[in-house]
Amino acid sequence: MERNSKGGTKVNTKFSDFLVSKERSAKKLIDILSKNFDYVSVLGTDVFGKVFSVSKEETIIKDSNWSEQGFVIRVYKNKRFFEYSTNEMTDAEETAEKIVSLFDETESLNMNFTEYPQFREDSMTETFSKGYEKEPQNNEHIIIEKLTEIKDKAFSLSDNLISFDAIFEWVKVSKFFISRNKNLKQSYLWSQGYCIPTVSDGSKIKYSYKTYSGLKGLELIDEMIKGTEENISHTNSLLNAKRIIPGEYEIICSPEISGLIAHEAFGHGVEMDMFVKNRAKAAEYIGKRVGSDLVNMRDGAKSAEHVSSYFFDDEGVLAQDIKIIEKGILLDGICDTLSALYLKKKPTGNGKRQSFERKAYTRMTNTFFEPGNDKLEDMIKSVDNGFLLIDEMSGMEDPKEWGIQCMILSALKIENGAVTDEVYSPVILTGYVPDVLSDISMVSGDFYLSGSGACGKGYKEFVKVSAGGPYIKTKARLG
Amino acid sequence: MIMTNVLIKIFNDLHIKKWKIEKTEKNSEEFFMIKNKIDMTRGKKIVSYNITLYRDFSEEDKKYTGSINFEISPEENYTDIVKKIEDSYKLTSGIKNKYFPLARKKTDSVLNYEKTSGTEIANKIIKIFSDLSECGKGYINSSEIFINKVNKTILNSSGLNINFDYMDNTVEFITTWKDNKESEIYSFYEFSEFNEKSFSEEIHKKYKFAEYKTKTQDTPELKNMPIIISGEAVKEFFRYFIVKSAASTKFEGTTEFSPGDSFGNDKINIIMDPDVKYSTRSYKFDNDGFPLSKTVIIEDGILKTYHGNIKYCNYIGSEPTGNIGNFTVLTGDKSVNEFKNSKYIELLSFSDFQIDYSTGDFGGEIRLGIYFDGEKEIPVTGKALGENIKNIISGLKLSSEKQQINNFTGPESIIITNL
């Protein structure tokens, strides 16, 4: 039984009744399709959540965008895979007929197919569940009350505030993965919150956002309440923000920015479906130095307890903890099942789908730099003329050429070993990944993960991830 | 019993007087290719019911509307559906938003595309990829084809009952050029009806970009010369004006513009148009079932009207236009070539060009540009462009050359003369 931080019992995330009611149909479908195909699996998903948004003059309650309820049937024959996504499973015979017909239709395309070897799955029957402290479901009135309290507090703190959004979202995840050899079930809950103030001094408009996330329930809102004052003060400071004179600077990255660099710089670069397509420079660097001795990096649903800490991935592979970089040396990448088959490697439990409607790709989970031994105050003292990068907006990967772009909302100037109150916004960080990682000269002992955003592959396929780490000191071009 | 009838019966049984149902049925075919081989194919059939329940009430002579939005899946059992609807409706009593009405009664059926099969379209795309799989030292590294046919029905308690079809297709492809080094260009191409000529031209253009990328030098400092931004970033740049003139933005308080205000450049003319050929956002009705028509929002640089759905337009007291998915920016009267007589830089591709719709800050890392030093054109990469739209708007020029990127039609290039 899981215990909460005060030693009490956590609430268990109940497995979906809907999926329980569909298990028999899924097994029947596997039996029917197994007459036609060498391998059949069914992933069933019931992901349900709510978003609550309270702003100055409007309250919104709706289903979470992460909500989904449906099935992916994967079949294998003639050395190739086919998948069918549907949210209707009652008539297994009709679904099987449709799958056979669609598979045969694509056979007639007169095209060459990638040939995959037959793969074997270990036998496994297991049910997994994670707990949380406070139940968010059916506590909608409490959620709206607390978000309204945050919003009212924000407006009491600043006359410059023209808009404020307090947003809370909880999501309960239930999935099963069933094949001839496997019957896995998992259920867990994550939640996230955003506080987004927009301020104006009459001529300029500025905003920022403070985010909260984790494998938590209603208890997350209490964290949101505590952060309001600092959030408003920080956003007001952006009204006096300057633009950075473009150039290369010494920088100290907050855990949030460290995570963004880990995710964009290396995470995407070691997604091994990119190795299959020959689109990743990292493939040439396995076993080679890519950063300073201080660089240690991990990814894995088992590497941390955060929003992407599932028990098995969307292809029925158990979660793992993958060391990607050790003391600056690139050890290995992360891999979905099909890419692993192609590359003759073991899958790492990183096969994720945006939803049951989409294909599985190699995706990150919880990606981070490991903490070091430096203290933040010593790191700041070591900088004569540089910047402390505070909060992120977005990033974009470039696995082929290892370029990195991070859009950063704000930075504080560091001068003669002290952080000043000079704010700069927005800031664009660019660089060549091995340069940025090789220049890492100090790493703090702090550790913080953030999982409030979504990660896309190119411009689509958004999945939940977390990223973070310690404070790191390096050099990069800012503009 | 048909699901929509089941839902309406439940609404009646629970005395829910104001409601909307959006039924969406999606049939998809998906093809994933690595070079000339199909890596995987997928099929999809999804039916979903998106429900919005509303509760109108008055307090101290003021009218309010509480609402809640949720999904019902086709295989949920009757008891669960009733409970979900009942619980959701209870929550609307705690929501005190300004009043707004529903779209008025209309019964219509519209077909937005020719009924060709998904496989037929996919075959055409695969053939083009096959024909253009190699081009000089370039090749198509990989591609993903998504053919989505969608049927939508919108019903509401005011008697609205409309049904329409549309296509929402996507092709992602990577063009690679292998010379002294290997470089790639990522492309994301969206369309409804398939335009073979436009698609082939897009592939050729991206081959050229990939070739340029293998020959790049460092980007010079972006000073003392016209900066030309071409292609996809132009669409993103003009989205600033769309957001700043939206009723929802006015309601949030994050636009400083009101009808009659100037954006600072009288060459900017923007029209929202629900009927643009090849666009995936061409619908005759929005998600509320509100009928859409062509609307001028910015004329000679002046905001003419806010645009938005029934809810937000009612909130701010503006006439609703409905949510129109396409926007057209009128082109300028000079060719971009007229700005290429002396030193200039043309930015063709960014890592991720972004514009902040609140502040007007825009920019991104330069992945590919062409720098003309007065004598020769040099492909360049690296460094970042970062500016605020308010600082450059007065000197902004629009090219006479035109482009269409899915739901955007407008100038192919914008020219910043006063960075």
Side-chain angles (χ1 to χ4, degrees), chain A residues 58 63 69 83 85 87 90 116 277 279 394 397 400 405 460, chain B residues 39 42 47 71 73 75 97 141 144 182 184 311 354 365 367:
Chain A
E58 191 181 28
D63 278 4
Q69 193 178 68
E83 285 187 348
S85 296
N87 57 356
T90 305
Y116 285 94
K277 294 173 180 172
R279 289 191 59 205
S394 66
E397 76 275 19
K400 183 80 179 173
Q405 168 183 311
K460 56 185 185 62
Chain B
D39 189 49
R42 299 183 84 254
V47 181
E71 291 269 336
S73 91
E75 298 221 329
N97 295 336
N141 169 287
E144 298 186 354
E182 200 168 286
E184 68 173 35
K311 180 170 89 166
Q354 294 194 359
E365 187 209 15
R367 279 218 173 144

PDB file of all heavy atoms in Angstrom, chain A residues 58 63 69 83 85 87 90 116 277 279 394 397 400 405 460, chain B residues 39 42 47 71 73 75 97 141 144 182 184 311 354 365 367:
ATOM      1  N   GLU A  58     -14.969  34.617 -16.558  1.00  0.00           N
ATOM      2  CA  GLU A  58     -15.493  33.376 -17.144  1.00  0.00           C
ATOM      3  C   GLU A  58     -14.978  32.148 -16.413  1.00  0.00           C
ATOM      4  O   GLU A  58     -13.809  32.100 -16.006  1.00  0.00           O
ATOM      5  CB  GLU A  58     -15.089  33.291 -18.629  1.00  0.00           C
ATOM      6  CG  GLU A  58     -15.806  32.183 -19.370  1.00  0.00           C
ATOM      7  CD  GLU A  58     -15.394  32.090 -20.837  1.00  0.00           C
ATOM      8  OE1 GLU A  58     -14.263  32.463 -21.162  1.00  0.00           O
ATOM      9  OE2 GLU A  58     -16.225  31.618 -21.640  1.00  0.00           O
ATOM     10  N   ASP A  63     -14.049  18.433 -20.611  1.00  0.00           N
ATOM     11  CA  ASP A  63     -13.213  17.237 -20.571  1.00  0.00           C
ATOM     12  C   ASP A  63     -11.784  17.616 -20.922  1.00  0.00           C
ATOM     13  O   ASP A  63     -11.545  18.489 -21.765  1.00  0.00           O
ATOM     14  CB  ASP A  63     -13.708  16.199 -21.595  1.00  0.00           C
ATOM     15  CG  ASP A  63     -14.863  15.377 -21.072  1.00  0.00           C
ATOM     16  OD1 ASP A  63     -15.332  15.658 -19.956  1.00  0.00           O
ATOM     17  OD2 ASP A  63     -15.299  14.457 -21.783  1.00  0.00           O
ATOM     18  N   GLN A  69     -10.945   7.195 -25.284  1.00  0.00           N
ATOM     19  CA  GLN A  69     -11.507   5.886 -24.938  1.00  0.00           C
ATOM     20  C   GLN A  69     -11.591   5.068 -26.212  1.00  0.00           C
ATOM     21  O   GLN A  69     -12.401   5.392 -27.090  1.00  0.00           O
ATOM     22  CB  GLN A  69     -12.898   6.063 -24.321  1.00  0.00           C
ATOM     23  CG  GLN A  69     -13.409   4.810 -23.650  1.00  0.00           C
ATOM     24  CD  GLN A  69     -14.776   5.042 -23.015  1.00  0.00           C
ATOM     25  OE1 GLN A  69     -15.750   5.237 -23.716  1.00  0.00           O
ATOM     26  NE2 GLN A  69     -14.842   5.007 -21.709  1.00  0.00           N
ATOM     27  N   GLU A  83      -2.139  -1.640 -38.368  1.00  0.00           N
ATOM     28  CA  GLU A  83      -2.882  -1.268 -37.155  1.00  0.00           C
ATOM     29  C   GLU A  83      -4.249  -0.709 -37.510  1.00  0.00           C
ATOM     30  O   GLU A  83      -4.425  -0.071 -38.564  1.00  0.00           O
ATOM     31  CB  GLU A  83      -2.114  -0.200 -36.364  1.00  0.00           C
ATOM     32  CG  GLU A  83      -0.918  -0.737 -35.619  1.00  0.00           C
ATOM     33  CD  GLU A  83      -0.280   0.304 -34.714  1.00  0.00           C
ATOM     34  OE1 GLU A  83      -0.619   1.504 -34.816  1.00  0.00           O
ATOM     35  OE2 GLU A  83       0.573  -0.086 -33.912  1.00  0.00           O
ATOM     36  N   SER A  85      -7.389   1.511 -35.542  1.00  0.00           N
ATOM     37  CA  SER A  85      -7.868   2.222 -34.352  1.00  0.00           C
ATOM     38  C   SER A  85      -9.379   2.366 -34.430  1.00  0.00           C
ATOM     39  O   SER A  85      -9.909   2.753 -35.467  1.00  0.00           O
ATOM     40  CB  SER A  85      -7.260   3.624 -34.288  1.00  0.00           C
ATOM     41  OG  SER A  85      -5.876   3.562 -34.134  1.00  0.00           O
ATOM     42  N   ASN A  87     -13.153   3.037 -31.744  1.00  0.00           N
ATOM     43  CA  ASN A  87     -13.722   3.118 -30.393  1.00  0.00           C
ATOM     44  C   ASN A  87     -15.023   2.309 -30.305  1.00  0.00           C
ATOM     45  O   ASN A  87     -15.850   2.542 -29.448  1.00  0.00           O
ATOM     46  CB  ASN A  87     -13.913   4.568 -29.927  1.00  0.00           C
ATOM     47  CG  ASN A  87     -14.781   5.379 -30.863  1.00  0.00           C
ATOM     48  OD1 ASN A  87     -15.203   4.909 -31.914  1.00  0.00           O
ATOM     49  ND2 ASN A  87     -15.051   6.614 -30.484  1.00  0.00           N
ATOM     50  N   THR A  90     -17.712  -3.818 -29.580  1.00  0.00           N
ATOM     51  CA  THR A  90     -18.698  -4.797 -29.128  1.00  0.00           C
ATOM     52  C   THR A  90     -18.767  -6.003 -30.056  1.00  0.00           C
ATOM     53  O   THR A  90     -18.786  -7.146 -29.616  1.00  0.00           O
ATOM     54  CB  THR A  90     -20.090  -4.134 -29.018  1.00  0.00           C
ATOM     55  OG1 THR A  90     -19.941  -3.012 -28.167  1.00  0.00           O
ATOM     56  CG2 THR A  90     -21.113  -5.087 -28.435  1.00  0.00           C
ATOM     57  N   TYR A 116       9.857  -6.860 -41.348  1.00  0.00           N
ATOM     58  CA  TYR A 116      10.180  -7.003 -39.921  1.00  0.00           C
ATOM     59  C   TYR A 116      10.223  -8.485 -39.565  1.00  0.00           C
ATOM     60  O   TYR A 116       9.357  -9.255 -40.002  1.00  0.00           O
ATOM     61  CB  TYR A 116       9.112  -6.331 -39.054  1.00  0.00           C
ATOM     62  CG  TYR A 116       9.206  -4.822 -39.054  1.00  0.00           C
ATOM     63  CD1 TYR A 116       8.446  -4.059 -39.936  1.00  0.00           C
ATOM     64  CD2 TYR A 116      10.062  -4.168 -38.174  1.00  0.00           C
ATOM     65  CE1 TYR A 116       8.538  -2.671 -39.942  1.00  0.00           C
ATOM     66  CE2 TYR A 116      10.157  -2.783 -38.174  1.00  0.00           C
ATOM     67  CZ  TYR A 116       9.395  -2.045 -39.054  1.00  0.00           C
ATOM     68  OH  TYR A 116       9.489  -0.678 -39.049  1.00  0.00           O
ATOM     69  N   LYS A 277      15.496   5.828 -39.686  1.00  0.00           N
ATOM     70  CA  LYS A 277      15.349   6.665 -40.884  1.00  0.00           C
ATOM     71  C   LYS A 277      16.652   7.367 -41.267  1.00  0.00           C
ATOM     72  O   LYS A 277      16.661   8.165 -42.203  1.00  0.00           O
ATOM     73  CB  LYS A 277      14.267   7.716 -40.643  1.00  0.00           C
ATOM     74  CG  LYS A 277      12.875   7.138 -40.475  1.00  0.00           C
ATOM     75  CD  LYS A 277      11.892   8.220 -40.083  1.00  0.00           C
ATOM     76  CE  LYS A 277      10.496   7.634 -39.913  1.00  0.00           C
ATOM     77  NZ  LYS A 277       9.557   8.596 -39.347  1.00  0.00           N
ATOM     78  N   ARG A 279      18.041   9.725 -39.601  1.00  0.00           N
ATOM     79  CA  ARG A 279      17.792  11.158 -39.405  1.00  0.00           C
ATOM     80  C   ARG A 279      18.447  11.688 -38.125  1.00  0.00           C
ATOM     81  O   ARG A 279      18.184  12.831 -37.751  1.00  0.00           O
ATOM     82  CB  ARG A 279      16.280  11.426 -39.343  1.00  0.00           C
ATOM     83  CG  ARG A 279      15.557  11.283 -40.656  1.00  0.00           C
ATOM     84  CD  ARG A 279      14.149  11.826 -40.543  1.00  0.00           C
ATOM     85  NE  ARG A 279      14.148  13.224 -40.161  1.00  0.00           N
ATOM     86  CZ  ARG A 279      13.133  13.834 -39.542  1.00  0.00           C
ATOM     87  NH1 ARG A 279      12.060  13.140 -39.237  1.00  0.00           N
ATOM     88  NH2 ARG A 279      13.194  15.105 -39.224  1.00  0.00           N
ATOM     89  N   SER A 394       9.254  27.505 -25.192  1.00  0.00           N
ATOM     90  CA  SER A 394       9.185  26.318 -26.044  1.00  0.00           C
ATOM     91  C   SER A 394      10.575  25.985 -26.573  1.00  0.00           C
ATOM     92  O   SER A 394      11.517  26.753 -26.388  1.00  0.00           O
ATOM     93  CB  SER A 394       8.251  26.571 -27.233  1.00  0.00           C
ATOM     94  OG  SER A 394       8.811  27.566 -28.062  1.00  0.00           O
ATOM     95  N   GLU A 397      13.588  20.718 -31.813  1.00  0.00           N
ATOM     96  CA  GLU A 397      14.713  19.816 -32.001  1.00  0.00           C
ATOM     97  C   GLU A 397      15.279  19.893 -33.411  1.00  0.00           C
ATOM     98  O   GLU A 397      14.614  20.385 -34.320  1.00  0.00           O
ATOM     99  CB  GLU A 397      14.284  18.375 -31.720  1.00  0.00           C
ATOM    100  CG  GLU A 397      13.455  17.707 -32.824  1.00  0.00           C
ATOM    101  CD  GLU A 397      11.962  17.996 -32.748  1.00  0.00           C
ATOM    102  OE1 GLU A 397      11.569  18.975 -32.078  1.00  0.00           O
ATOM    103  OE2 GLU A 397      11.189  17.245 -33.371  1.00  0.00           O
ATOM    104  N   LYS A 400      19.047  15.896 -36.866  1.00  0.00           N
ATOM    105  CA  LYS A 400      19.973  15.626 -37.967  1.00  0.00           C
ATOM    106  C   LYS A 400      21.259  16.440 -37.842  1.00  0.00           C
ATOM    107  O   LYS A 400      22.343  15.956 -38.141  1.00  0.00           O
ATOM    108  CB  LYS A 400      19.267  15.967 -39.293  1.00  0.00           C
ATOM    109  CG  LYS A 400      20.081  15.661 -40.531  1.00  0.00           C
ATOM    110  CD  LYS A 400      20.018  14.207 -40.868  1.00  0.00           C
ATOM    111  CE  LYS A 400      20.805  13.885 -42.122  1.00  0.00           C
ATOM    112  NZ  LYS A 400      20.869  12.439 -42.329  1.00  0.00           N
ATOM    113  N   GLN A 405      17.202  25.192 -30.511  1.00  0.00           N
ATOM    114  CA  GLN A 405      16.542  26.483 -30.309  1.00  0.00           C
ATOM    115  C   GLN A 405      15.652  26.370 -29.071  1.00  0.00           C
ATOM    116  O   GLN A 405      14.807  25.491 -28.997  1.00  0.00           O
ATOM    117  CB  GLN A 405      15.667  26.853 -31.507  1.00  0.00           C
ATOM    118  CG  GLN A 405      14.745  28.036 -31.193  1.00  0.00           C
ATOM    119  CD  GLN A 405      13.797  28.403 -32.327  1.00  0.00           C
ATOM    120  OE1 GLN A 405      14.222  28.542 -33.458  1.00  0.00           O
ATOM    121  NE2 GLN A 405      12.525  28.578 -32.005  1.00  0.00           N
ATOM    122  N   LYS A 460       3.391  17.430 -34.731  1.00  0.00           N
ATOM    123  CA  LYS A 460       2.208  16.639 -34.367  1.00  0.00           C
ATOM    124  C   LYS A 460       2.586  15.604 -33.313  1.00  0.00           C
ATOM    125  O   LYS A 460       3.655  15.688 -32.757  1.00  0.00           O
ATOM    126  CB  LYS A 460       1.612  15.980 -35.619  1.00  0.00           C
ATOM    127  CG  LYS A 460       2.582  15.115 -36.385  1.00  0.00           C
ATOM    128  CD  LYS A 460       1.953  14.593 -37.660  1.00  0.00           C
ATOM    129  CE  LYS A 460       2.850  13.630 -38.378  1.00  0.00           C
ATOM    130  NZ  LYS A 460       3.191  12.409 -37.666  1.00  0.00           N
TER     131      LYS A 460
ATOM    132  N   ASP B  39       6.488   1.392 -44.450  1.00  0.00           N
ATOM    133  CA  ASP B  39       6.915   0.859 -43.164  1.00  0.00           C
ATOM    134  C   ASP B  39       5.717   0.306 -42.394  1.00  0.00           C
ATOM    135  O   ASP B  39       5.808  -0.696 -41.698  1.00  0.00           O
ATOM    136  CB  ASP B  39       7.584   1.976 -42.354  1.00  0.00           C
ATOM    137  CG  ASP B  39       8.252   1.459 -41.104  1.00  0.00           C
ATOM    138  OD1 ASP B  39       9.002   0.473 -41.222  1.00  0.00           O
ATOM    139  OD2 ASP B  39       8.001   2.012 -40.022  1.00  0.00           O
ATOM    140  N   ARG B  42      -2.102   1.987 -41.586  1.00  0.00           N
ATOM    141  CA  ARG B  42      -3.074   1.987 -40.490  1.00  0.00           C
ATOM    142  C   ARG B  42      -4.449   2.361 -41.027  1.00  0.00           C
ATOM    143  O   ARG B  42      -4.553   3.086 -42.021  1.00  0.00           O
ATOM    144  CB  ARG B  42      -2.701   3.000 -39.396  1.00  0.00           C
ATOM    145  CG  ARG B  42      -1.364   2.757 -38.728  1.00  0.00           C
ATOM    146  CD  ARG B  42      -1.112   3.758 -37.606  1.00  0.00           C
ATOM    147  NE  ARG B  42      -1.738   3.353 -36.367  1.00  0.00           N
ATOM    148  CZ  ARG B  42      -2.815   3.885 -35.834  1.00  0.00           C
ATOM    149  NH1 ARG B  42      -3.425   4.896 -36.421  1.00  0.00           N
ATOM    150  NH2 ARG B  42      -3.310   3.435 -34.704  1.00  0.00           N
ATOM    151  N   VAL B  47     -16.020   7.272 -33.903  1.00  0.00           N
ATOM    152  CA  VAL B  47     -17.259   8.049 -33.772  1.00  0.00           C
ATOM    153  C   VAL B  47     -17.250   8.704 -32.399  1.00  0.00           C
ATOM    154  O   VAL B  47     -16.962   8.037 -31.396  1.00  0.00           O
ATOM    155  CB  VAL B  47     -18.505   7.133 -33.889  1.00  0.00           C
ATOM    156  CG1 VAL B  47     -19.780   7.956 -33.779  1.00  0.00           C
ATOM    157  CG2 VAL B  47     -18.480   6.367 -35.198  1.00  0.00           C
ATOM    158  N   GLU B  71     -17.420  14.643 -23.548  1.00  0.00           N
ATOM    159  CA  GLU B  71     -17.541  13.657 -24.632  1.00  0.00           C
ATOM    160  C   GLU B  71     -18.293  12.416 -24.146  1.00  0.00           C
ATOM    161  O   GLU B  71     -18.156  12.017 -22.994  1.00  0.00           O
ATOM    162  CB  GLU B  71     -16.152  13.181 -25.070  1.00  0.00           C
ATOM    163  CG  GLU B  71     -15.310  14.205 -25.784  1.00  0.00           C
ATOM    164  CD  GLU B  71     -15.487  14.194 -27.296  1.00  0.00           C
ATOM    165  OE1 GLU B  71     -15.883  13.154 -27.847  1.00  0.00           O
ATOM    166  OE2 GLU B  71     -15.227  15.255 -27.909  1.00  0.00           O
ATOM    167  N   SER B  73     -18.634   8.428 -25.486  1.00  0.00           N
ATOM    168  CA  SER B  73     -18.141   7.514 -26.523  1.00  0.00           C
ATOM    169  C   SER B  73     -19.261   6.545 -26.902  1.00  0.00           C
ATOM    170  O   SER B  73     -20.177   6.298 -26.111  1.00  0.00           O
ATOM    171  CB  SER B  73     -16.887   6.786 -26.051  1.00  0.00           C
ATOM    172  OG  SER B  73     -17.219   5.587 -25.440  1.00  0.00           O
ATOM    173  N   GLU B  75     -19.667   3.498 -27.067  1.00  0.00           N
ATOM    174  CA  GLU B  75     -19.873   2.217 -26.377  1.00  0.00           C
ATOM    175  C   GLU B  75     -20.111   2.375 -24.881  1.00  0.00           C
ATOM    176  O   GLU B  75     -20.117   1.389 -24.151  1.00  0.00           O
ATOM    177  CB  GLU B  75     -18.696   1.296 -26.650  1.00  0.00           C
ATOM    178  CG  GLU B  75     -18.565   0.975 -28.129  1.00  0.00           C
ATOM    179  CD  GLU B  75     -18.216  -0.463 -28.405  1.00  0.00           C
ATOM    180  OE1 GLU B  75     -17.527  -1.051 -27.571  1.00  0.00           O
ATOM    181  OE2 GLU B  75     -18.658  -0.980 -29.450  1.00  0.00           O
ATOM    182  N   ASN B  97     -21.456  32.662 -15.978  1.00  0.00           N
ATOM    183  CA  ASN B  97     -20.876  33.413 -17.101  1.00  0.00           C
ATOM    184  C   ASN B  97     -21.969  34.262 -17.757  1.00  0.00           C
ATOM    185  O   ASN B  97     -23.165  33.998 -17.577  1.00  0.00           O
ATOM    186  CB  ASN B  97     -20.291  32.455 -18.140  1.00  0.00           C
ATOM    187  CG  ASN B  97     -19.113  31.674 -17.594  1.00  0.00           C
ATOM    188  OD1 ASN B  97     -18.457  32.120 -16.651  1.00  0.00           O
ATOM    189  ND2 ASN B  97     -18.850  30.521 -18.171  1.00  0.00           N
ATOM    190  N   ASN B 141      13.633  11.174 -47.683  1.00  0.00           N
ATOM    191  CA  ASN B 141      14.077  10.295 -46.598  1.00  0.00           C
ATOM    192  C   ASN B 141      12.920   9.463 -46.066  1.00  0.00           C
ATOM    193  O   ASN B 141      13.029   8.250 -45.875  1.00  0.00           O
ATOM    194  CB  ASN B 141      14.685  11.152 -45.478  1.00  0.00           C
ATOM    195  CG  ASN B 141      14.929  10.372 -44.208  1.00  0.00           C
ATOM    196  OD1 ASN B 141      13.990  10.039 -43.491  1.00  0.00           O
ATOM    197  ND2 ASN B 141      16.186  10.052 -43.950  1.00  0.00           N
ATOM    198  N   GLU B 144       4.924  10.546 -44.172  1.00  0.00           N
ATOM    199  CA  GLU B 144       3.734  10.011 -43.504  1.00  0.00           C
ATOM    200  C   GLU B 144       2.517  10.649 -44.147  1.00  0.00           C
ATOM    201  O   GLU B 144       2.472  11.866 -44.305  1.00  0.00           O
ATOM    202  CB  GLU B 144       3.782  10.324 -41.999  1.00  0.00           C
ATOM    203  CG  GLU B 144       4.973   9.680 -41.314  1.00  0.00           C
ATOM    204  CD  GLU B 144       4.960   9.846 -39.800  1.00  0.00           C
ATOM    205  OE1 GLU B 144       4.074  10.556 -39.291  1.00  0.00           O
ATOM    206  OE2 GLU B 144       5.829   9.249 -39.145  1.00  0.00           O
ATOM    207  N   GLU B 182      25.317  16.178 -45.265  1.00  0.00           N
ATOM    208  CA  GLU B 182      23.925  15.781 -45.498  1.00  0.00           C
ATOM    209  C   GLU B 182      23.004  16.712 -44.712  1.00  0.00           C
ATOM    210  O   GLU B 182      23.200  16.896 -43.512  1.00  0.00           O
ATOM    211  CB  GLU B 182      23.740  14.334 -45.040  1.00  0.00           C
ATOM    212  CG  GLU B 182      22.522  13.670 -45.640  1.00  0.00           C
ATOM    213  CD  GLU B 182      22.516  12.163 -45.398  1.00  0.00           C
ATOM    214  OE1 GLU B 182      23.297  11.456 -46.046  1.00  0.00           O
ATOM    215  OE2 GLU B 182      21.725  11.711 -44.551  1.00  0.00           O
ATOM    216  N   GLU B 184      18.753  18.110 -44.153  1.00  0.00           N
ATOM    217  CA  GLU B 184      17.359  17.767 -44.418  1.00  0.00           C
ATOM    218  C   GLU B 184      16.437  18.943 -44.140  1.00  0.00           C
ATOM    219  O   GLU B 184      16.770  19.865 -43.402  1.00  0.00           O
ATOM    220  CB  GLU B 184      16.934  16.568 -43.570  1.00  0.00           C
ATOM    221  CG  GLU B 184      16.865  16.880 -42.083  1.00  0.00           C
ATOM    222  CD  GLU B 184      16.282  15.730 -41.261  1.00  0.00           C
ATOM    223  OE1 GLU B 184      16.522  14.567 -41.601  1.00  0.00           O
ATOM    224  OE2 GLU B 184      15.586  16.023 -40.268  1.00  0.00           O
ATOM    225  N   LYS B 311     -20.559  32.931 -28.585  1.00  0.00           N
ATOM    226  CA  LYS B 311     -20.341  33.200 -27.163  1.00  0.00           C
ATOM    227  C   LYS B 311     -19.503  34.466 -26.959  1.00  0.00           C
ATOM    228  O   LYS B 311     -19.943  35.409 -26.304  1.00  0.00           O
ATOM    229  CB  LYS B 311     -19.644  31.993 -26.501  1.00  0.00           C
ATOM    230  CG  LYS B 311     -19.384  32.193 -25.021  1.00  0.00           C
ATOM    231  CD  LYS B 311     -18.914  30.920 -24.340  1.00  0.00           C
ATOM    232  CE  LYS B 311     -17.420  30.762 -24.385  1.00  0.00           C
ATOM    233  NZ  LYS B 311     -16.922  29.723 -23.473  1.00  0.00           N
ATOM    234  N   GLN B 354       8.160  31.881 -34.235  1.00  0.00           N
ATOM    235  CA  GLN B 354       7.047  32.084 -33.299  1.00  0.00           C
ATOM    236  C   GLN B 354       6.730  33.559 -33.168  1.00  0.00           C
ATOM    237  O   GLN B 354       7.624  34.401 -33.242  1.00  0.00           O
ATOM    238  CB  GLN B 354       7.424  31.551 -31.916  1.00  0.00           C
ATOM    239  CG  GLN B 354       7.599  30.059 -31.909  1.00  0.00           C
ATOM    240  CD  GLN B 354       7.634  29.494 -30.511  1.00  0.00           C
ATOM    241  OE1 GLN B 354       7.541  30.220 -29.534  1.00  0.00           O
ATOM    242  NE2 GLN B 354       7.761  28.191 -30.418  1.00  0.00           N
ATOM    243  N   GLU B 365      15.245  30.775 -34.504  1.00  0.00           N
ATOM    244  CA  GLU B 365      16.586  30.489 -35.019  1.00  0.00           C
ATOM    245  C   GLU B 365      16.528  30.309 -36.531  1.00  0.00           C
ATOM    246  O   GLU B 365      15.614  29.649 -37.041  1.00  0.00           O
ATOM    247  CB  GLU B 365      17.129  29.215 -34.367  1.00  0.00           C
ATOM    248  CG  GLU B 365      18.566  28.949 -34.718  1.00  0.00           C
ATOM    249  CD  GLU B 365      18.939  27.480 -34.712  1.00  0.00           C
ATOM    250  OE1 GLU B 365      18.035  26.633 -34.704  1.00  0.00           O
ATOM    251  OE2 GLU B 365      20.140  27.189 -34.728  1.00  0.00           O
ATOM    252  N   ARG B 367      17.265  28.654 -39.741  1.00  0.00           N
ATOM    253  CA  ARG B 367      17.809  27.377 -40.246  1.00  0.00           C
ATOM    254  C   ARG B 367      18.350  27.561 -41.658  1.00  0.00           C
ATOM    255  O   ARG B 367      19.315  26.946 -42.045  1.00  0.00           O
ATOM    256  CB  ARG B 367      16.738  26.287 -40.246  1.00  0.00           C
ATOM    257  CG  ARG B 367      16.573  25.691 -38.871  1.00  0.00           C
ATOM    258  CD  ARG B 367      16.325  24.196 -38.884  1.00  0.00           C
ATOM    259  NE  ARG B 367      16.351  23.714 -37.495  1.00  0.00           N
ATOM    260  CZ  ARG B 367      15.584  22.755 -37.029  1.00  0.00           C
ATOM    261  NH1 ARG B 367      14.730  22.156 -37.811  1.00  0.00           N
ATOM    262  NH2 ARG B 367      15.684  22.372 -35.784  1.00  0.00           N
TER     263      ARG B 367
END
